[in-house]
Amino acid sequence: DLSVSTRIQFDNVSDRLGLFARVRWIPRPGSDLFLVLTRNWHRKGGRLSPLNSEVATKLTYSIRF
């Protein structure tokens, strides 16, 4: 099972744009692999300037006996 979700949001008080994207792969029940991308930009003078970018991974694995 593979799923992709993306969220984009703009905060007009701080003039920041954010992107959150996640890929989730479930090779079998009880085991998950996540890949997450987060990016943020700040608006200055009508243009977007990058603030930060982060990539994270998470692996969960269940052992059943």
Short mmCIF file of all heavy atoms in Angstrom, two decimals:
data_model
loop_
_atom_site.label_atom_id
_atom_site.label_comp_id
_atom_site.label_asym_id
_atom_site.label_seq_id
_atom_site.Cartn_x
_atom_site.Cartn_y
_atom_site.Cartn_z
N ASP A 1 0.85 -1.17 0.00
CA ASP A 1 0.00 0.00 0.00
C ASP A 1 0.90 1.24 0.00
O ASP A 1 1.82 1.33 0.80
CB ASP A 1 -0.90 -0.04 1.22
CG ASP A 1 -2.01 0.98 1.17
OD1 ASP A 1 -2.33 1.45 0.08
OD2 ASP A 1 -2.55 1.29 2.23
N LEU A 2 0.63 2.17 -0.88
CA LEU A 2 1.42 3.39 -1.02
C LEU A 2 0.48 4.59 -1.04
O LEU A 2 -0.52 4.57 -1.76
CB LEU A 2 2.24 3.34 -2.31
CG LEU A 2 3.15 4.53 -2.60
CD1 LEU A 2 4.30 4.57 -1.61
CD2 LEU A 2 3.68 4.45 -4.01
N SER A 3 0.80 5.60 -0.24
CA SER A 3 -0.02 6.81 -0.24
C SER A 3 0.87 8.04 -0.21
O SER A 3 1.98 8.00 0.33
CB SER A 3 -0.99 6.83 0.95
OG SER A 3 -0.28 6.88 2.16
N VAL A 4 0.38 9.11 -0.80
CA VAL A 4 1.08 10.39 -0.84
C VAL A 4 0.10 11.46 -0.39
O VAL A 4 -1.04 11.50 -0.85
CB VAL A 4 1.58 10.72 -2.26
CG1 VAL A 4 2.26 12.08 -2.30
CG2 VAL A 4 2.51 9.64 -2.77
N SER A 5 0.54 12.31 0.52
CA SER A 5 -0.30 13.43 0.95
C SER A 5 0.54 14.70 0.95
O SER A 5 1.73 14.68 1.27
CB SER A 5 -0.90 13.19 2.33
OG SER A 5 0.10 13.07 3.30
N THR A 6 -0.10 15.79 0.56
CA THR A 6 0.58 17.08 0.47
C THR A 6 -0.31 18.16 1.06
O THR A 6 -1.51 18.16 0.83
CB THR A 6 0.89 17.43 -1.00
OG1 THR A 6 1.64 16.38 -1.57
CG2 THR A 6 1.68 18.72 -1.10
N ARG A 7 0.30 19.05 1.81
CA ARG A 7 -0.43 20.19 2.38
C ARG A 7 0.39 21.45 2.13
O ARG A 7 1.58 21.49 2.38
CB ARG A 7 -0.62 19.99 3.88
CG ARG A 7 -1.43 21.07 4.52
CD ARG A 7 -1.63 20.85 6.00
NE ARG A 7 -1.94 19.45 6.26
CZ ARG A 7 -1.71 18.85 7.41
NH1 ARG A 7 -1.18 19.52 8.41
NH2 ARG A 7 -2.00 17.59 7.58
N ILE A 8 -0.28 22.47 1.60
CA ILE A 8 0.35 23.78 1.38
C ILE A 8 -0.47 24.79 2.15
O ILE A 8 -1.71 24.78 2.08
CB ILE A 8 0.37 24.14 -0.11
CG1 ILE A 8 1.19 23.12 -0.89
CG2 ILE A 8 0.93 25.54 -0.31
CD1 ILE A 8 1.13 23.30 -2.39
N GLN A 9 0.21 25.65 2.89
CA GLN A 9 -0.52 26.65 3.65
C GLN A 9 0.25 27.98 3.65
O GLN A 9 1.47 27.99 3.65
CB GLN A 9 -0.83 26.11 5.03
CG GLN A 9 -0.11 26.63 6.17
CD GLN A 9 -0.51 25.92 7.48
OE1 GLN A 9 -1.13 24.88 7.50
NE2 GLN A 9 -0.12 26.50 8.57
N PHE A 10 -0.51 29.07 3.64
CA PHE A 10 0.06 30.42 3.67
C PHE A 10 -0.47 31.15 4.88
O PHE A 10 -1.66 31.13 5.15
CB PHE A 10 -0.30 31.19 2.40
CG PHE A 10 0.27 32.58 2.37
CD1 PHE A 10 1.62 32.77 2.13
CD2 PHE A 10 -0.52 33.68 2.61
CE1 PHE A 10 2.17 34.04 2.12
CE2 PHE A 10 0.01 34.96 2.59
CZ PHE A 10 1.36 35.13 2.35
N ASP A 11 0.45 31.77 5.62
CA ASP A 11 0.09 32.56 6.80
C ASP A 11 0.26 34.03 6.43
O ASP A 11 1.38 34.50 6.21
CB ASP A 11 0.99 32.19 7.97
CG ASP A 11 0.68 32.98 9.23
OD1 ASP A 11 -0.34 33.69 9.27
OD2 ASP A 11 1.47 32.87 10.19
N ASN A 12 -0.85 34.76 6.35
CA ASN A 12 -0.78 36.16 5.93
C ASN A 12 -0.28 37.09 7.04
O ASN A 12 0.09 38.22 6.77
CB ASN A 12 -2.14 36.64 5.41
CG ASN A 12 -3.22 36.57 6.46
OD1 ASN A 12 -3.08 35.89 7.47
ND2 ASN A 12 -4.31 37.26 6.21
N VAL A 13 -0.24 36.63 8.28
CA VAL A 13 0.29 37.46 9.37
C VAL A 13 1.82 37.49 9.31
O VAL A 13 2.44 38.55 9.40
CB VAL A 13 -0.20 36.95 10.74
CG1 VAL A 13 0.45 37.72 11.87
CG2 VAL A 13 -1.72 37.04 10.83
N SER A 14 2.44 36.33 9.14
CA SER A 14 3.91 36.26 9.08
C SER A 14 4.44 36.26 7.65
O SER A 14 5.65 36.26 7.45
CB SER A 14 4.40 35.00 9.79
OG SER A 14 3.95 33.85 9.12
N ASP A 15 3.54 36.26 6.64
CA ASP A 15 3.92 36.20 5.22
C ASP A 15 4.80 35.00 4.91
O ASP A 15 5.82 35.10 4.24
CB ASP A 15 4.62 37.49 4.78
CG ASP A 15 3.64 38.60 4.46
OD1 ASP A 15 2.46 38.28 4.21
OD2 ASP A 15 4.05 39.76 4.45
N ARG A 16 4.39 33.84 5.42
CA ARG A 16 5.15 32.61 5.18
C ARG A 16 4.29 31.58 4.46
O ARG A 16 3.10 31.46 4.71
CB ARG A 16 5.64 32.02 6.49
CG ARG A 16 6.70 32.87 7.12
CD ARG A 16 7.31 32.22 8.31
NE ARG A 16 8.34 33.10 8.85
CZ ARG A 16 9.13 32.75 9.82
NH1 ARG A 16 9.03 31.57 10.37
NH2 ARG A 16 10.03 33.60 10.24
N LEU A 17 4.94 30.85 3.57
CA LEU A 17 4.32 29.77 2.83
C LEU A 17 5.00 28.47 3.26
O LEU A 17 6.23 28.41 3.36
CB LEU A 17 4.50 29.97 1.33
CG LEU A 17 3.97 28.88 0.41
CD1 LEU A 17 2.44 28.89 0.42
CD2 LEU A 17 4.48 29.09 -1.00
N GLY A 18 4.21 27.44 3.52
CA GLY A 18 4.76 26.17 3.95
C GLY A 18 4.25 25.02 3.11
O GLY A 18 3.11 25.02 2.66
N LEU A 19 5.12 24.04 2.90
CA LEU A 19 4.78 22.83 2.16
C LEU A 19 5.14 21.64 3.03
O LEU A 19 6.24 21.57 3.60
CB LEU A 19 5.58 22.75 0.85
CG LEU A 19 5.54 21.42 0.12
CD1 LEU A 19 4.18 21.20 -0.51
CD2 LEU A 19 6.63 21.35 -0.92
N PHE A 20 4.20 20.71 3.16
CA PHE A 20 4.41 19.47 3.90
C PHE A 20 3.99 18.33 2.98
O PHE A 20 2.83 18.28 2.56
CB PHE A 20 3.57 19.47 5.18
CG PHE A 20 3.63 18.18 5.96
CD1 PHE A 20 4.68 17.94 6.82
CD2 PHE A 20 2.64 17.23 5.82
CE1 PHE A 20 4.74 16.75 7.53
CE2 PHE A 20 2.70 16.05 6.53
CZ PHE A 20 3.75 15.81 7.39
N ALA A 21 4.91 17.45 2.63
CA ALA A 21 4.61 16.32 1.75
C ALA A 21 5.08 15.04 2.43
O ALA A 21 6.18 14.99 2.99
CB ALA A 21 5.31 16.48 0.41
N ARG A 22 4.22 14.02 2.38
CA ARG A 22 4.54 12.76 3.04
C ARG A 22 4.22 11.59 2.11
O ARG A 22 3.16 11.53 1.49
CB ARG A 22 3.74 12.61 4.32
CG ARG A 22 4.01 11.31 5.05
CD ARG A 22 3.26 11.22 6.34
NE ARG A 22 1.86 10.91 6.06
CZ ARG A 22 0.96 10.70 6.99
NH1 ARG A 22 1.28 10.82 8.26
NH2 ARG A 22 -0.28 10.42 6.66
N VAL A 23 5.16 10.66 2.04
CA VAL A 23 4.97 9.40 1.32
C VAL A 23 4.98 8.29 2.37
O VAL A 23 5.89 8.24 3.21
CB VAL A 23 6.09 9.15 0.29
CG1 VAL A 23 5.92 7.80 -0.37
CG2 VAL A 23 6.12 10.27 -0.74
N ARG A 24 3.96 7.46 2.33
CA ARG A 24 3.87 6.34 3.28
C ARG A 24 3.74 5.04 2.50
O ARG A 24 2.86 4.90 1.67
CB ARG A 24 2.66 6.51 4.19
CG ARG A 24 2.52 5.40 5.20
CD ARG A 24 1.29 5.60 6.06
NE ARG A 24 1.22 4.58 7.09
CZ ARG A 24 0.18 4.41 7.89
NH1 ARG A 24 -0.87 5.21 7.78
NH2 ARG A 24 0.20 3.48 8.79
N TRP A 25 4.64 4.11 2.79
CA TRP A 25 4.61 2.81 2.15
C TRP A 25 4.42 1.76 3.23
O TRP A 25 5.15 1.73 4.22
CB TRP A 25 5.90 2.57 1.39
CG TRP A 25 5.98 1.23 0.74
CD1 TRP A 25 5.00 0.59 0.03
CD2 TRP A 25 7.11 0.35 0.73
NE1 TRP A 25 5.44 -0.62 -0.43
CE2 TRP A 25 6.74 -0.79 0.00
CE3 TRP A 25 8.37 0.43 1.27
CZ2 TRP A 25 7.61 -1.84 -0.21
CZ3 TRP A 25 9.24 -0.62 1.06
CH2 TRP A 25 8.86 -1.73 0.32
N ILE A 26 3.44 0.88 3.03
CA ILE A 26 3.17 -0.22 3.95
C ILE A 26 3.43 -1.52 3.19
O ILE A 26 2.56 -2.00 2.46
CB ILE A 26 1.72 -0.18 4.47
CG1 ILE A 26 1.41 1.17 5.09
CG2 ILE A 26 1.48 -1.30 5.47
CD1 ILE A 26 -0.06 1.37 5.43
N PRO A 27 4.63 -2.09 3.30
CA PRO A 27 4.92 -3.32 2.57
C PRO A 27 4.10 -4.51 3.07
O PRO A 27 3.74 -5.39 2.32
CB PRO A 27 6.41 -3.54 2.78
CG PRO A 27 6.79 -2.71 3.94
CD PRO A 27 5.78 -1.61 4.05
N ARG A 28 3.82 -4.52 4.39
CA ARG A 28 2.92 -5.53 4.98
C ARG A 28 2.37 -4.94 6.28
O ARG A 28 2.97 -4.02 6.86
CB ARG A 28 3.63 -6.84 5.22
CG ARG A 28 4.76 -6.76 6.18
CD ARG A 28 5.38 -8.12 6.38
NE ARG A 28 6.66 -7.92 7.05
CZ ARG A 28 7.70 -8.66 6.88
NH1 ARG A 28 7.65 -9.68 6.05
NH2 ARG A 28 8.81 -8.42 7.52
N PRO A 29 1.23 -5.42 6.74
CA PRO A 29 0.63 -4.86 7.96
C PRO A 29 1.60 -4.88 9.14
O PRO A 29 2.29 -5.88 9.39
CB PRO A 29 -0.57 -5.78 8.22
CG PRO A 29 -0.92 -6.32 6.88
CD PRO A 29 0.39 -6.47 6.15
N GLY A 30 1.70 -3.74 9.82
CA GLY A 30 2.60 -3.62 10.96
C GLY A 30 3.96 -3.05 10.62
O GLY A 30 4.76 -2.78 11.51
N SER A 31 4.23 -2.84 9.34
CA SER A 31 5.50 -2.27 8.90
C SER A 31 5.21 -1.05 8.03
O SER A 31 4.45 -1.14 7.07
CB SER A 31 6.31 -3.29 8.10
OG SER A 31 6.59 -4.41 8.89
N ASP A 32 5.81 0.07 8.37
CA ASP A 32 5.58 1.32 7.64
C ASP A 32 6.92 2.00 7.36
O ASP A 32 7.83 1.96 8.18
CB ASP A 32 4.75 2.31 8.44
CG ASP A 32 3.37 1.80 8.77
OD1 ASP A 32 2.71 1.31 7.85
OD2 ASP A 32 2.97 1.88 9.94
N LEU A 33 7.00 2.66 6.22
CA LEU A 33 8.14 3.51 5.88
C LEU A 33 7.58 4.87 5.49
O LEU A 33 6.71 4.96 4.62
CB LEU A 33 8.95 2.93 4.73
CG LEU A 33 10.10 3.80 4.22
CD1 LEU A 33 11.16 3.97 5.31
CD2 LEU A 33 10.70 3.22 2.96
N PHE A 34 8.03 5.92 6.17
CA PHE A 34 7.61 7.28 5.89
C PHE A 34 8.77 8.08 5.34
O PHE A 34 9.90 7.95 5.82
CB PHE A 34 7.14 7.99 7.18
CG PHE A 34 5.89 7.44 7.77
CD1 PHE A 34 5.94 6.47 8.75
CD2 PHE A 34 4.65 7.91 7.36
CE1 PHE A 34 4.78 5.96 9.31
CE2 PHE A 34 3.49 7.42 7.91
CZ PHE A 34 3.56 6.44 8.89
N LEU A 35 8.48 8.92 4.37
CA LEU A 35 9.43 9.91 3.86
C LEU A 35 8.70 11.24 3.89
O LEU A 35 7.63 11.38 3.27
CB LEU A 35 9.87 9.56 2.44
CG LEU A 35 10.80 10.56 1.76
CD1 LEU A 35 12.12 10.68 2.52
CD2 LEU A 35 11.04 10.16 0.32
N VAL A 36 9.25 12.21 4.62
CA VAL A 36 8.57 13.49 4.84
C VAL A 36 9.47 14.63 4.36
O VAL A 36 10.65 14.67 4.69
CB VAL A 36 8.22 13.68 6.33
CG1 VAL A 36 7.54 15.01 6.56
CG2 VAL A 36 7.36 12.54 6.83
N LEU A 37 8.87 15.54 3.59
CA LEU A 37 9.57 16.74 3.12
C LEU A 37 8.83 17.96 3.64
O LEU A 37 7.61 18.06 3.49
CB LEU A 37 9.60 16.78 1.59
CG LEU A 37 10.06 18.10 0.96
CD1 LEU A 37 11.52 18.36 1.25
CD2 LEU A 37 9.79 18.11 -0.53
N THR A 38 9.56 18.87 4.26
CA THR A 38 9.00 20.12 4.75
C THR A 38 9.82 21.27 4.19
O THR A 38 11.05 21.26 4.28
CB THR A 38 9.05 20.18 6.29
OG1 THR A 38 8.41 19.02 6.81
CG2 THR A 38 8.33 21.40 6.82
N ARG A 39 9.14 22.26 3.59
CA ARG A 39 9.82 23.45 3.06
C ARG A 39 9.04 24.68 3.48
O ARG A 39 7.81 24.66 3.53
CB ARG A 39 9.89 23.41 1.54
CG ARG A 39 10.80 22.30 1.06
CD ARG A 39 11.17 22.47 -0.34
NE ARG A 39 11.93 23.71 -0.48
CZ ARG A 39 12.84 23.91 -1.40
NH1 ARG A 39 13.13 22.99 -2.25
NH2 ARG A 39 13.46 25.06 -1.49
N ASN A 40 9.76 25.76 3.77
CA ASN A 40 9.14 27.03 4.15
C ASN A 40 9.79 28.18 3.39
O ASN A 40 10.99 28.17 3.14
CB ASN A 40 9.29 27.27 5.66
CG ASN A 40 8.51 26.28 6.47
OD1 ASN A 40 7.30 26.21 6.37
ND2 ASN A 40 9.20 25.48 7.25
N TRP A 41 8.95 29.14 3.02
CA TRP A 41 9.40 30.35 2.35
C TRP A 41 8.83 31.56 3.05
O TRP A 41 7.79 31.51 3.68
CB TRP A 41 8.89 30.37 0.90
CG TRP A 41 9.42 29.28 0.04
CD1 TRP A 41 10.52 29.32 -0.74
CD2 TRP A 41 8.83 28.00 -0.18
NE1 TRP A 41 10.67 28.14 -1.42
CE2 TRP A 41 9.64 27.32 -1.10
CE3 TRP A 41 7.70 27.35 0.32
CZ2 TRP A 41 9.36 26.03 -1.53
CZ3 TRP A 41 7.42 26.07 -0.11
CH2 TRP A 41 8.25 25.43 -1.01
N HIS A 42 9.52 32.69 2.92
CA HIS A 42 9.08 33.97 3.48
C HIS A 42 8.91 34.95 2.32
O HIS A 42 9.74 35.02 1.43
CB HIS A 42 10.13 34.50 4.46
CG HIS A 42 9.69 35.71 5.21
ND1 HIS A 42 9.37 36.89 4.61
CD2 HIS A 42 9.52 35.91 6.53
CE1 HIS A 42 9.02 37.78 5.52
NE2 HIS A 42 9.10 37.20 6.69
N ARG A 43 7.81 35.69 2.34
CA ARG A 43 7.55 36.66 1.27
C ARG A 43 8.20 38.00 1.63
O ARG A 43 7.94 38.58 2.68
CB ARG A 43 6.05 36.85 1.08
CG ARG A 43 5.74 37.75 -0.11
CD ARG A 43 4.31 37.73 -0.46
NE ARG A 43 3.51 38.31 0.61
CZ ARG A 43 2.22 38.54 0.52
NH1 ARG A 43 1.56 38.21 -0.57
NH2 ARG A 43 1.56 39.07 1.53
N LYS A 44 9.05 38.48 0.73
CA LYS A 44 9.72 39.78 0.89
C LYS A 44 9.56 40.54 -0.41
O LYS A 44 10.01 40.09 -1.45
CB LYS A 44 11.21 39.61 1.18
CG LYS A 44 11.53 39.01 2.51
CD LYS A 44 13.04 38.93 2.69
CE LYS A 44 13.38 38.31 4.02
NZ LYS A 44 14.82 38.18 4.22
N GLY A 45 8.89 41.67 -0.36
CA GLY A 45 8.74 42.51 -1.55
C GLY A 45 8.03 41.82 -2.70
O GLY A 45 8.38 42.03 -3.85
N GLY A 46 7.08 40.95 -2.41
CA GLY A 46 6.35 40.26 -3.46
C GLY A 46 7.01 38.99 -3.97
O GLY A 46 6.45 38.31 -4.81
N ARG A 47 8.20 38.67 -3.47
CA ARG A 47 8.90 37.46 -3.89
C ARG A 47 9.04 36.51 -2.71
O ARG A 47 9.11 36.94 -1.57
CB ARG A 47 10.29 37.81 -4.41
CG ARG A 47 10.22 38.72 -5.65
CD ARG A 47 11.53 38.79 -6.30
NE ARG A 47 11.89 37.43 -6.72
CZ ARG A 47 12.69 37.17 -7.72
NH1 ARG A 47 13.23 38.14 -8.40
NH2 ARG A 47 12.98 35.93 -8.04
N LEU A 48 9.13 35.22 -3.01
CA LEU A 48 9.31 34.22 -1.97
C LEU A 48 10.79 33.87 -1.83
O LEU A 48 11.46 33.54 -2.81
CB LEU A 48 8.52 32.95 -2.30
CG LEU A 48 7.00 33.09 -2.23
CD1 LEU A 48 6.34 31.82 -2.74
CD2 LEU A 48 6.55 33.39 -0.83
N SER A 49 11.29 33.95 -0.61
CA SER A 49 12.67 33.58 -0.30
C SER A 49 12.65 32.32 0.56
O SER A 49 11.91 32.26 1.55
CB SER A 49 13.37 34.69 0.48
OG SER A 49 13.37 35.89 -0.24
N PRO A 50 13.45 31.32 0.22
CA PRO A 50 13.45 30.08 1.01
C PRO A 50 13.97 30.32 2.43
O PRO A 50 14.94 31.05 2.63
CB PRO A 50 14.37 29.15 0.24
CG PRO A 50 15.11 29.98 -0.73
CD PRO A 50 14.37 31.26 -0.90
N LEU A 51 13.31 29.71 3.39
CA LEU A 51 13.74 29.78 4.79
C LEU A 51 14.47 28.50 5.19
O LEU A 51 15.59 28.55 5.68
CB LEU A 51 12.55 29.98 5.72
CG LEU A 51 11.95 31.37 5.78
CD1 LEU A 51 10.71 31.37 6.66
CD2 LEU A 51 12.96 32.35 6.32
N ASN A 52 13.80 27.36 5.03
CA ASN A 52 14.43 26.10 5.41
C ASN A 52 13.78 24.94 4.67
O ASN A 52 12.67 25.05 4.16
CB ASN A 52 14.37 25.87 6.92
CG ASN A 52 12.95 25.76 7.43
OD1 ASN A 52 12.01 26.12 6.76
ND2 ASN A 52 12.81 25.25 8.63
N SER A 53 14.50 23.84 4.62
CA SER A 53 14.02 22.59 4.04
C SER A 53 14.47 21.45 4.93
O SER A 53 15.60 21.46 5.43
CB SER A 53 14.60 22.37 2.64
OG SER A 53 14.21 23.38 1.77
N GLU A 54 13.59 20.48 5.13
CA GLU A 54 13.93 19.32 5.95
C GLU A 54 13.39 18.06 5.29
O GLU A 54 12.31 18.07 4.71
CB GLU A 54 13.32 19.44 7.34
CG GLU A 54 13.85 20.58 8.17
CD GLU A 54 13.19 20.66 9.53
OE1 GLU A 54 12.56 19.67 9.95
OE2 GLU A 54 13.31 21.70 10.17
N VAL A 55 14.16 17.00 5.39
CA VAL A 55 13.72 15.69 4.93
C VAL A 55 13.91 14.73 6.10
O VAL A 55 14.96 14.75 6.75
CB VAL A 55 14.53 15.21 3.71
CG1 VAL A 55 14.14 13.79 3.33
CG2 VAL A 55 14.35 16.15 2.54
N ALA A 56 12.90 13.93 6.37
CA ALA A 56 12.98 12.96 7.46
C ALA A 56 12.43 11.62 6.99
O ALA A 56 11.55 11.57 6.13
CB ALA A 56 12.18 13.46 8.66
N THR A 57 12.97 10.55 7.55
CA THR A 57 12.47 9.21 7.28
C THR A 57 12.16 8.52 8.60
O THR A 57 12.76 8.83 9.64
CB THR A 57 13.49 8.36 6.50
OG1 THR A 57 14.69 8.27 7.26
CG2 THR A 57 13.77 8.94 5.14
N LYS A 58 11.22 7.61 8.53
CA LYS A 58 10.86 6.83 9.72
C LYS A 58 10.50 5.44 9.26
O LYS A 58 9.74 5.26 8.31
CB LYS A 58 9.68 7.46 10.45
CG LYS A 58 9.23 6.68 11.65
CD LYS A 58 8.01 7.33 12.29
CE LYS A 58 7.50 6.50 13.44
NZ LYS A 58 6.28 7.06 14.03
N LEU A 59 11.02 4.45 9.94
CA LEU A 59 10.75 3.06 9.63
C LEU A 59 10.20 2.40 10.88
O LEU A 59 10.80 2.50 11.96
CB LEU A 59 12.02 2.34 9.17
CG LEU A 59 11.92 0.84 8.93
CD1 LEU A 59 10.96 0.54 7.78
CD2 LEU A 59 13.28 0.25 8.67
N THR A 60 9.06 1.75 10.77
CA THR A 60 8.51 0.97 11.87
C THR A 60 8.37 -0.46 11.39
O THR A 60 8.03 -0.73 10.24
CB THR A 60 7.14 1.49 12.35
OG1 THR A 60 6.22 1.43 11.26
CG2 THR A 60 7.24 2.92 12.83
N TYR A 61 8.66 -1.39 12.29
CA TYR A 61 8.61 -2.80 11.93
C TYR A 61 8.10 -3.58 13.12
O TYR A 61 8.61 -3.42 14.24
CB TYR A 61 10.02 -3.28 11.55
CG TYR A 61 10.07 -4.71 11.08
CD1 TYR A 61 9.63 -5.05 9.81
CD2 TYR A 61 10.54 -5.71 11.92
CE1 TYR A 61 9.69 -6.37 9.38
CE2 TYR A 61 10.60 -7.02 11.51
CZ TYR A 61 10.16 -7.35 10.24
OH TYR A 61 10.19 -8.64 9.80
N SER A 62 7.09 -4.36 12.92
CA SER A 62 6.53 -5.19 14.00
C SER A 62 6.99 -6.63 13.84
O SER A 62 6.96 -7.19 12.75
CB SER A 62 4.99 -5.15 13.96
OG SER A 62 4.54 -3.86 14.22
N ILE A 63 7.39 -7.20 14.95
CA ILE A 63 7.75 -8.62 14.98
C ILE A 63 6.64 -9.35 15.71
O ILE A 63 6.34 -9.04 16.87
CB ILE A 63 9.10 -8.84 15.69
CG1 ILE A 63 10.20 -8.08 14.97
CG2 ILE A 63 9.42 -10.32 15.80
CD1 ILE A 63 11.52 -8.09 15.68
N ARG A 64 6.02 -10.27 15.02
CA ARG A 64 4.90 -11.01 15.61
C ARG A 64 5.30 -12.47 15.78
O ARG A 64 5.85 -13.08 14.88
CB ARG A 64 3.67 -10.89 14.72
CG ARG A 64 3.22 -9.49 14.56
CD ARG A 64 2.07 -9.40 13.64
NE ARG A 64 1.77 -7.99 13.39
CZ ARG A 64 0.73 -7.56 12.73
NH1 ARG A 64 -0.14 -8.43 12.25
NH2 ARG A 64 0.53 -6.30 12.56
N PHE A 65 5.00 -12.99 16.96
CA PHE A 65 5.26 -14.40 17.20
C PHE A 65 4.23 -14.98 18.13
O PHE A 65 3.43 -14.35 18.68
CB PHE A 65 6.68 -14.64 17.73
CG PHE A 65 7.05 -13.78 18.89
CD1 PHE A 65 6.89 -14.24 20.18
CD2 PHE A 65 7.57 -12.49 18.70
CE1 PHE A 65 7.26 -13.43 21.25
CE2 PHE A 65 7.94 -11.71 19.76
CZ PHE A 65 7.78 -12.18 21.03
#
